[in-house]
Amino acid sequence: MSTLDFLFNGFAVAFQWQNILFAFVGVLIGTAVGVLPGIGPMSGVALLIPVTSTLTSGMPTEAAAASSIILLAGVYYGAMYGGSTTSILLNTPGESSSVVTTLDGYQMAKQGRAGAALSIAAIGSFVAGIVSLIGLVLLAKPLSKVALNFGPAEYFSLMLLGLCAVSGLAGKSMTKALIMTIFGLLLATIGIDAVSGIARFTYDLPILYSGLEFLTIAVGLFALGEVFKTILERDKEDGAIAKIERILPTKQDLKDSAVPIVRGSFLGFFIGVLPGAGATLASFFSYMAEKKFSKHPEKFGTGAIEGVAGPESANNAASGGAMIPLLTLGIPGSGTTAILMGALIMYNIQPGPLFFEDHPEVAWGLIASMFIGNLMLLVLNMPLVKVFAKIIQTPKKYLLPIIVAISFFGVYAVQYTTFDLYLLLACGFLGYLLAKNDYPLAPLVLALVLGPMIENNMRRALTISNGEFSIFVTKPLSLVFIIAAIAWIVIPLLLKLKGRNVLVNDEE
């Protein structure tokens, strides 16, 4: 079968009434998650995993997995759309990838051009979504075929690269990111060892034999962590909402933003494909590129529409690009894709080289649904600009109890144990403390998901080589991944040291 045949079969899955409904609910919730400051796509997806598993409980495994992942992916790219709304109206990024949008978006809003900024963000996001999906369709099968040649040594090195990539780029301090990665790997070792059958770090507690539930930790760290932050820091600040007069952009606005949208879409897509790079990096790169290419760089920071069009296109394209390593290699490139991977594994579906062969209904159904979801987002976002401005004003006293209730019901619905509820609370408090002290949470979540797979592949590789560690450097592809992983950690360190030396010399 050709790629087009697979894609048509995917549309047959995506056009089933329940999947259209799931896609719509996903993008709607995703947009709201992006609009509400502090929740972010990671928390949104983590919160909804138990909800989707309950909604799809009576369905066959493949159909249930397809419907669930359609809804969760809708939340992911919907949140990328919605994040721009608070950046433009409130000068408060909905998530980290929308930070750059505040620079020019809020200035436009103060000049009474909030409608144009929001519309261009929506149009740019739509174009970027379509570009990244075409890339996903074209690259998914060839990459899967390449990945089929991977052995345990190559997988181990590739997953190591994924961890180093997130650790090298997450947060302000690489040391803190590496500490969080190691912490995640340590948590992943709790439970019965799959090879030897020995209980590790269980302290004779039967509840720990199956290990720590990834969902409990993810929901605790992200969703409850935000709740603790708001309560303990009495975070009641509500910014002044900018008035929205004209919703549609002018012809000049469209002309000025056409090239930045296309440039941001391609740049974002290729950055998104790199494990660990993510949407935040893509939006920063795009902003810097637009400023460099502009004939009037002095306009940036004062309300240049290019400063909204480029980064918003880039962060959406990156979310589509991040799906490629997840689906074809089984390597989540960001915290959110790690959570999506955890959701697939819950249905006994392993993303990776055989994903497109073994589960075509899920793989192509997801890709087709993203085309439909992007169209839904454009139709939703243009008329709902004024409505989302109202959502931002939801008082925290109503919002927080809803998040807490969904977290507790969700985790209990999947696990049925009070231990997980205590663990949820502990992770919530831990998430607050870690975030308060600038310890990034994404490396911990990624390490928790990849930890068992890294260990299994390492053991399988060592079994093949009779305990010789040289297998990881004698296999050419494995060696390339290991060198890339080392470079990902070492180069930023060298740049930092060089920057420090420059500062010292300047001070002298």
Side-chain angles (χ1 to χ4, degrees):
M1 280 173 81
S2 69
T3 302
L4 270 178
D5 293 330
F6 279 117
L7 191 59
F8 283 130
N9 290 347
F11 275 108
V13 172
F15 276 120
Q16 290 168 8
W17 71 267
Q18 75 271 21
N19 289 339
I20 287 180
L21 184 65
F22 274 120
F24 178 75
V25 170
V27 297
L28 187 66
I29 292 172
T31 310
V33 160
V35 164
L36 292 163
I39 298 181
M42 264 201 236
S43 311
V45 173
L47 271 171
L48 284 166
I49 291 175
V51 178
T52 57
S53 64
T54 309
L55 290 173
T56 58
S57 56
M59 296 162 73
T61 308
E62 286 279 309
S67 296
S68 291
I69 205 72
I70 282 170
L71 192 147
L72 296 172
V75 175
Y76 178 31
Y77 54 87
M80 292 295 171
Y81 257 71
S84 60
T85 308
T86 43
S87 296
I88 292 164
L89 296 177
L90 273 180
N91 202 24
T92 308
E95 74 273 301
S96 58
S97 59
S98 298
V99 170
V100 188
T101 313
T102 59
L103 302 177
D104 283 283
Y106 186 60
Q107 295 301 322
M108 285 181 71
K110 287 207 297 194
Q111 295 160 17
R113 295 167 63 213
L118 288 165
S119 301
I120 285 295
I123 293 163
S125 299
F126 173 72
V127 173
I130 299 302
V131 166
S132 65
L133 279 167
I134 292 167
L136 185 55
V137 169
L138 295 175
L139 292 177
K141 288 290 280 182
L143 262 179
S144 294
K145 283 182 179 151
V146 170
L148 279 171
N149 300 322
F150 283 21
E154 285 85 357
Y155 260 113
F156 167 79
S157 306
L158 183 63
M159 286 171 188
L160 203 62
L161 170 60
L163 274 186
C164 289
V166 169
S167 304
L169 294 167
K172 296 170 191 166
S173 161
M174 191 189 288
T175 312
K176 288 180 176 178
L178 287 169
I179 289 169
M180 296 303 283
T181 306
I182 301 297
F183 186 37
L185 289 171
L186 288 172
L187 291 178
T189 60
I190 294 171
I192 299 285
D193 177 10
V195 178
S196 64
I198 295 168
R200 299 186 298 193
F201 307 111
T202 55
Y203 305 100
D204 294 327
L205 295 171
I207 195 89
L208 289 175
Y209 287 170
S210 57
L212 296 178
E213 175 58 37
F214 148 83
L215 174 73
T216 309
I217 290 173
V219 173
L221 287 175
F222 293 107
L224 279 196
E226 271 310 315
V227 171
F228 275 114
K229 177 176 182 270
T230 309
I231 294 167
L232 294 171
E233 296 186 0
R234 306 199 183 283
D235 183 14
K236 290 179 182 169
E237 294 167 27
D238 289 310
I241 302 279
K243 281 205 167 74
I244 298 175
E245 289 149 13
R246 182 193 167 97
I247 288 180
L248 293 173
T250 62
K251 277 186 182 175
Q252 188 60 43
D253 287 337
L254 288 167
K255 192 181 166 188
D256 290 342
S257 43
V259 176
I261 284 172
V262 174
R263 199 159 31 215
S265 299
F266 283 99
L267 183 70
F269 174 72
F270 287 112
I271 290 173
V273 170
L274 298 172
T280 307
L281 200 71
S283 60
F284 273 97
F285 271 139
S286 173
Y287 190 81
M288 288 191 294
E290 290 316 316
K291 200 168 177 180
K292 206 168 182 64
F293 286 119
S294 175
K295 289 174 184 171
H296 305 285
E298 69 282 354
K299 281 196 311 181
F300 284 78
T302 61
I305 200 153
E306 299 93 328
V308 174
E312 276 304 306
S313 306
N315 72 27
N316 275 271
S319 66
M323 287 288 190
I324 289 184
L326 171 71
L327 301 180
T328 59
L329 304 173
I331 297 293
S334 65
T336 316
T337 46
I339 291 169
L340 288 173
M341 184 173 177
L344 281 169
I345 292 168
M346 273 173 63
Y347 289 96
N348 291 323
I349 289 173
Q350 178 67 56
L354 293 170
F355 181 52
F356 284 83
E357 304 287 326
D358 296 348
H359 308 285
E361 183 186 331
V362 181
W364 291 102
L366 168 63
I367 291 170
S369 79
M370 287 169 79
F371 276 103
I372 298 164
N374 267 290
L375 197 59
M376 285 176 177
L377 276 168
L378 187 67
V379 173
L380 268 176
N381 273 265
M382 297 299 274
L384 289 185
V385 162
K386 290 189 177 181
V387 177
F388 287 128
K390 290 275 179 228
I391 291 179
I392 297 167
Q393 293 165 301
T394 306
K396 292 208 166 90
K397 63 181 178 183
Y398 301 126
L399 191 63
L400 295 184
I402 294 168
I403 294 172
V404 172
I406 293 170
S407 301
F408 273 81
F409 288 132
V411 166
Y412 192 74
V414 172
Q415 287 301 100
Y416 301 115
T417 65
T418 49
F419 168 79
D420 274 81
L421 298 182
Y422 290 125
L423 181 63
L424 178 73
L425 272 174
C427 285
F429 191 62
L430 183 68
Y432 159 68
L433 288 176
L434 291 170
K436 189 176 191 296
N437 293 291
D438 284 330
Y439 283 88
L441 301 175
L444 190 155
V445 173
L446 195 61
L448 194 63
V449 172
L450 291 182
M453 291 187 269
I454 288 176
E455 186 183 4
N456 288 340
N457 281 298
M458 182 176 129
R459 285 181 162 190
R460 283 169 57 209
L462 290 174
T463 305
I464 293 165
S465 68
N466 291 324
E468 287 290 326
F469 279 90
S470 58
I471 188 171
F472 298 112
V473 290
T474 50
K475 299 256 182 185
L477 210 52
S478 174
L479 180 62
V480 168
F481 290 143
I482 284 174
I483 291 168
I486 293 166
W488 218 292
I489 296 290
V490 171
I491 289 169
L493 273 177
L494 292 174
L495 289 172
K496 220 172 215 178
L497 287 170
K498 196 177 174 189
R500 201 171 289 161
N501 291 339
V502 169
L503 282 173
V504 169
N505 293 336
D506 285 352
E507 282 163 15
E508 286 168 5

